[in-house]
């Protein structure tokens, strides 16, 4: 199971020390081989976090990347080469908070192609808005996001897909179990060889309910991942 921590735009240099608890926990955790943990902090912390997590089995990723492979005049942007240089192994692409600022499925596709070429593993986010859900467009939206986002990508196998309904992110609301089961199965039918995660308000209180949906390959966790105790609880409860 994957446990991917998305710290969003939170954290200063001292926040990296909060990982001490997680490192300690995972060292003595009997089922550590089953849990694949990836931290995606803001760009400013990738370097220090990579150093902190050296010699652990916890990896570091970025929350976004630029679509260009090489250096260039793109003020404020960071490319995959730069991310790898400071220790990132993964990159989240297509997060709804980035899509909201105008990132199209086509641009997401370019970013995914670049990330793969550069040797970063991709965490590809898909999900419908509440408006789209109310109009019963969920499957159509997901199909388009997957089709365009993964267009011309030959080796899709290593891509981790996170289904994150936009209405669930940061709201405390999670999908009804049967709805989530069906949506994950819908994605799995299209992407038979990929790991499919769920993301959106995952926390220690609802993790048991989510774990009862037994077709999930893990979680992308925002808010709760910023508190080590909550993050550890989510992992512990998953293997109880
Ligand atoms: C996320 O940022 O991907 C996310 C799922 O956030 P939260 O867990 O806070 O809803």
């Amino acid at each position: 199971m994957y446990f991917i921590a998305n710290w969003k735009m939170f954290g200063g240099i001292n926040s990296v020390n909060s990982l001490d608890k997680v490192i300690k926990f995972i060292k003595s955790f009997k089922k550590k081989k089953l849990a694949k943990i990836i931290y995606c902090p803001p760009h400013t912390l990738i370097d220090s976090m990579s150093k902190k997590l050296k010699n652990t089995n916890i990896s570091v990723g970025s929350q976004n990347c630029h679509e260009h492979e090489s250096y260039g005049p793109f003020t404020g942007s960071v490319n995959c080469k730069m991310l790898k240089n400071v220790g990132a192994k993964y990159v989240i692409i297509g997060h709804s908070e980035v899509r909201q600022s105008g990132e199209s499925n086509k641009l997401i596709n370019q970013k995914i192609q670049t990330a793969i070429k550069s040797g970063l593993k991709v965490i590809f986010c898909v999900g419908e808005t509440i408006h789209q859900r109310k109009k019963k467009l969920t499957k159509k939206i997901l199909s388009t996001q997957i089709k365009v986002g993964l267009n011309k990508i030959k080796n899709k196998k290593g891509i981790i897909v996170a289904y994150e309904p936009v209405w669930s992110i940061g709201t405390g609301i999670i999908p009804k179990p049967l709805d989530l089961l069906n949506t994950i199965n819908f994605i799995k039918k299209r992407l038979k060889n990929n790991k499919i995660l769920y993301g959106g308000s995952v926390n220690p209180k609802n993790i048991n309910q989510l774990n009862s949906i037994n077709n999930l390959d893990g979680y992308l966790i925002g808010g709760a991942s910023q508190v080590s105790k909550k993050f550890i609880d989510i992992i512990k409860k998953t293997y109880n």
Side-chain angles (χ1 to χ4, degrees):
M1 290 284 272
Y2 281 87
F3 300 88
I4 305 180
N6 174 17
W7 273 15
K8 309 187 187 229
M9 198 172 72
F10 291 95
I13 198 73
N14 292 332
S15 320
V16 172
N17 293 329
S18 72
L19 295 189
D20 285 334
K21 269 192 198 152
V22 182
I23 296 169
K24 199 174 158 212
F25 156 72
I26 206 75
K27 265 188 188 159
S28 60
F29 185 50
K30 287 201 179 90
K31 297 189 176 150
K32 61 169 166 274
K33 288 212 174 113
L34 302 175
K36 182 95 194 103
I37 303 172
I38 303 158
Y39 268 88
C40 300
H43 290 151
T44 48
L45 299 180
I46 292 179
D47 183 42
S48 49
M49 207 178 253
S50 300
K51 285 174 183 149
K52 180 104 191 153
L53 295 172
K54 213 176 161 199
N55 303 322
T56 72
N57 51 357
I58 304 173
S59 305
V60 178
S62 169
Q63 296 172 18
N64 196 4
C65 65
H66 194 271
E67 65 275 20
H68 277 256
E69 202 182 345
S70 47
Y71 299 121
F74 303 105
T75 304
S77 302
V78 176
N79 70 21
C80 294
K81 194 192 284 201
M82 294 151 108
L83 295 169
K84 275 188 81 179
N85 188 245
V86 287
K89 300 266 187 299
Y90 292 81
V91 57
I92 296 176
I93 298 177
H95 193 285
S96 62
E97 285 158 9
V98 184
R99 287 180 188 261
Q100 266 159 35
S101 60
E103 190 186 51
S104 65
N105 287 322
K106 218 172 153 192
L107 180 57
I108 288 167
N109 175 253
Q110 287 170 6
K111 289 185 179 186
I112 294 178
Q113 296 204 35
T114 302
I116 293 174
K117 241 192 201 171
S118 311
L120 285 177
K121 290 185 184 138
V122 173
I123 300 156
F124 171 41
C125 297
V126 294
E128 80 287 2
T129 63
I130 190 66
H131 181 68
Q132 291 160 342
R133 184 177 183 81
K134 280 185 181 157
K135 286 192 152 183
K136 302 206 182 313
L137 291 172
T138 301
K139 287 184 179 167
K140 192 168 177 268
I141 294 296
L142 292 177
S143 291
T144 306
Q145 289 176 340
I146 292 168
K147 195 171 164 225
V148 183
L150 299 181
N151 187 32
K152 289 191 185 146
I153 292 170
K154 286 194 190 97
N155 190 8
K156 295 186 183 69
K157 203 179 164 203
I159 299 174
I160 299 163
V161 179
Y163 168 58
E164 298 209 306
V166 182
W167 47 274
S168 195
I169 296 180
T171 59
I173 304 165
I174 60 168
K176 290 193 184 100
L178 195 58
D179 287 348
L180 186 52
L181 181 85
N182 288 336
T183 310
I184 297 292
N185 280 340
F186 176 79
I187 299 170
K188 285 200 163 185
K189 261 194 192 157
R190 271 146 195 81
L191 298 167
K192 293 195 172 69
N193 298 314
N194 295 77
K195 298 289 182 196
I196 315 294
L197 322 186
Y198 166 74
S201 293
V202 177
N203 63 44
K205 288 189 183 142
N206 59 28
I207 190 67
N208 287 342
Q209 184 182 333
L210 287 165
N211 280 330
S212 69
I213 302 154
N214 51 23
N215 63 351
L216 293 172
D217 298 310
Y219 302 101
L220 177 50
I221 306 158
S225 75
Q226 291 153 35
V227 183
S228 292
K229 191 188 171 313
K230 287 190 185 175
F231 194 58
I232 292 169
D233 276 356
I234 290 170
I235 300 171
K236 272 189 190 161
K237 286 188 174 180
T238 298
Y239 295 104
N240 254 349

